[in-house]
mmCIF file of all heavy atoms in Angstrom:
data_model
loop_
_atom_site.group_PDB
_atom_site.id
_atom_site.type_symbol
_atom_site.label_atom_id
_atom_site.label_comp_id
_atom_site.label_asym_id
_atom_site.label_seq_id
_atom_site.Cartn_x
_atom_site.Cartn_y
_atom_site.Cartn_z
ATOM 1 N N GLY T 122 -23.065 41.804 -41.482
ATOM 2 C CA GLY T 122 -24.473 41.397 -41.437
ATOM 3 C C GLY T 122 -24.764 40.115 -40.696
ATOM 4 O O GLY T 122 -25.684 39.404 -41.048
ATOM 5 N N GLN T 123 -23.985 39.722 -39.697
ATOM 6 C CA GLN T 123 -24.199 38.463 -38.993
ATOM 7 C C GLN T 123 -24.907 38.726 -37.630
ATOM 8 O O GLN T 123 -25.080 39.850 -37.227
ATOM 9 C CB GLN T 123 -22.842 37.789 -38.777
ATOM 10 C CG GLN T 123 -22.099 37.432 -40.112
ATOM 11 C CD GLN T 123 -22.975 36.790 -41.098
ATOM 12 O OE1 GLN T 123 -23.740 35.873 -40.820
ATOM 13 N NE2 GLN T 123 -22.892 37.226 -42.350
ATOM 14 N N SER T 124 -25.292 37.578 -37.047
ATOM 15 C CA SER T 124 -25.873 37.703 -35.710
ATOM 16 C C SER T 124 -25.078 36.977 -34.688
ATOM 17 O O SER T 124 -24.227 36.174 -35.052
ATOM 18 C CB SER T 124 -27.359 37.105 -35.750
ATOM 19 O OG SER T 124 -27.249 35.715 -35.947
ATOM 20 N N ASN T 125 -25.338 37.162 -33.361
ATOM 21 C CA ASN T 125 -24.516 36.556 -32.345
ATOM 22 C C ASN T 125 -24.913 35.079 -32.160
ATOM 23 O O ASN T 125 -24.393 34.506 -31.184
ATOM 24 C CB ASN T 125 -24.618 37.313 -31.055
ATOM 25 C CG ASN T 125 -26.011 37.327 -30.522
ATOM 26 O OD1 ASN T 125 -26.928 36.784 -31.071
ATOM 27 N ND2 ASN T 125 -26.202 38.059 -29.414
ATOM 28 N N GLY T 126 -25.712 34.555 -33.022
ATOM 29 C CA GLY T 126 -26.084 33.108 -32.921
ATOM 30 C C GLY T 126 -25.106 32.253 -33.718
ATOM 31 O O GLY T 126 -25.381 31.017 -33.846
ATOM 32 N N SER T 127 -24.029 32.816 -34.224
ATOM 33 C CA SER T 127 -23.080 32.047 -35.008
ATOM 34 C C SER T 127 -22.374 30.946 -34.176
ATOM 35 O O SER T 127 -22.308 31.022 -32.969
ATOM 36 C CB SER T 127 -22.022 32.982 -35.539
ATOM 37 O OG SER T 127 -22.572 34.067 -36.278
ATOM 38 N N ILE T 128 -21.899 29.922 -34.869
ATOM 39 C CA ILE T 128 -21.222 28.827 -34.260
ATOM 40 C C ILE T 128 -19.952 28.484 -35.108
ATOM 41 O O ILE T 128 -20.025 28.582 -36.352
ATOM 42 C CB ILE T 128 -22.104 27.576 -34.059
ATOM 43 C CG1 ILE T 128 -21.378 26.508 -33.330
ATOM 44 C CG2 ILE T 128 -22.681 27.134 -35.322
ATOM 45 C CD1 ILE T 128 -22.280 25.332 -32.913
ATOM 46 N N VAL T 129 -18.920 28.189 -34.459
ATOM 47 C CA VAL T 129 -17.640 27.846 -35.137
ATOM 48 C C VAL T 129 -17.288 26.397 -34.921
ATOM 49 O O VAL T 129 -17.313 25.950 -33.742
ATOM 50 C CB VAL T 129 -16.491 28.765 -34.688
ATOM 51 C CG1 VAL T 129 -15.167 28.312 -35.268
ATOM 52 C CG2 VAL T 129 -16.739 30.202 -35.048
ATOM 53 N N VAL T 130 -16.978 25.676 -35.975
ATOM 54 C CA VAL T 130 -16.451 24.287 -35.883
ATOM 55 C C VAL T 130 -15.203 24.145 -36.764
ATOM 56 O O VAL T 130 -14.883 24.962 -37.566
ATOM 57 C CB VAL T 130 -17.534 23.294 -36.376
ATOM 58 C CG1 VAL T 130 -18.775 23.379 -35.480
ATOM 59 C CG2 VAL T 130 -17.935 23.624 -37.808
ATOM 60 N N LEU T 131 -14.516 23.091 -36.488
ATOM 61 C CA LEU T 131 -13.302 22.669 -37.264
ATOM 62 C C LEU T 131 -13.667 21.384 -37.977
ATOM 63 O O LEU T 131 -14.008 20.431 -37.381
ATOM 64 C CB LEU T 131 -12.170 22.515 -36.275
ATOM 65 C CG LEU T 131 -10.776 22.168 -36.922
ATOM 66 C CD1 LEU T 131 -10.295 23.266 -37.821
ATOM 67 C CD2 LEU T 131 -9.744 21.900 -35.804
ATOM 68 N N SER T 132 -13.465 21.489 -39.343
ATOM 69 C CA SER T 132 -13.773 20.272 -40.180
ATOM 70 C C SER T 132 -12.644 19.288 -40.162
ATOM 71 O O SER T 132 -11.537 19.560 -39.897
ATOM 72 C CB SER T 132 -14.134 20.696 -41.559
ATOM 73 O OG SER T 132 -12.934 20.987 -42.343
ATOM 74 N N ASP T 133 -12.922 18.084 -40.606
ATOM 75 C CA ASP T 133 -11.928 17.077 -40.794
ATOM 76 C C ASP T 133 -11.036 17.287 -42.012
ATOM 77 O O ASP T 133 -10.113 16.443 -42.244
ATOM 78 C CB ASP T 133 -12.555 15.621 -40.858
ATOM 79 C CG ASP T 133 -12.989 15.178 -39.487
ATOM 80 O OD1 ASP T 133 -12.323 15.403 -38.537
ATOM 81 O OD2 ASP T 133 -14.037 14.538 -39.405
ATOM 82 N N GLU T 134 -11.294 18.333 -42.742
ATOM 83 C CA GLU T 134 -10.374 18.779 -43.843
ATOM 84 C C GLU T 134 -9.453 19.833 -43.374
ATOM 85 O O GLU T 134 -8.623 20.334 -44.126
ATOM 86 C CB GLU T 134 -11.182 19.328 -45.042
ATOM 87 C CG GLU T 134 -12.011 18.331 -45.786
ATOM 88 C CD GLU T 134 -12.657 18.968 -46.976
ATOM 89 O OE1 GLU T 134 -13.264 20.025 -46.818
ATOM 90 O OE2 GLU T 134 -12.655 18.396 -48.028
ATOM 91 N N GLY T 135 -9.543 20.193 -42.051
ATOM 92 C CA GLY T 135 -8.621 21.191 -41.498
ATOM 93 C C GLY T 135 -9.086 22.613 -41.720
ATOM 94 O O GLY T 135 -8.294 23.537 -41.665
ATOM 95 N N LYS T 136 -10.392 22.823 -41.950
ATOM 96 C CA LYS T 136 -10.974 24.160 -42.225
ATOM 97 C C LYS T 136 -11.657 24.638 -40.918
ATOM 98 O O LYS T 136 -12.461 23.844 -40.376
ATOM 99 C CB LYS T 136 -11.905 24.095 -43.398
ATOM 100 C CG LYS T 136 -11.293 23.759 -44.705
ATOM 101 C CD LYS T 136 -12.372 23.625 -45.779
ATOM 102 C CE LYS T 136 -11.826 23.169 -47.105
ATOM 103 N NZ LYS T 136 -12.906 23.164 -48.167
ATOM 104 N N LEU T 137 -11.406 25.846 -40.516
ATOM 105 C CA LEU T 137 -12.133 26.507 -39.504
ATOM 106 C C LEU T 137 -13.340 27.147 -40.177
ATOM 107 O O LEU T 137 -13.191 27.915 -41.140
ATOM 108 C CB LEU T 137 -11.363 27.531 -38.814
ATOM 109 C CG LEU T 137 -11.883 28.208 -37.575
ATOM 110 C CD1 LEU T 137 -12.122 27.240 -36.464
ATOM 111 C CD2 LEU T 137 -11.038 29.386 -37.175
#
Side-chain angles (χ1 to χ4, degrees):
Q123 302 310 315
S124 68
N125 63 1
S127 303
I128 184 171
V129 171
V130 295
L131 183 62
S132 78
D133 283 323
E134 291 182 316
K136 299 177 183 179
L137 186 65

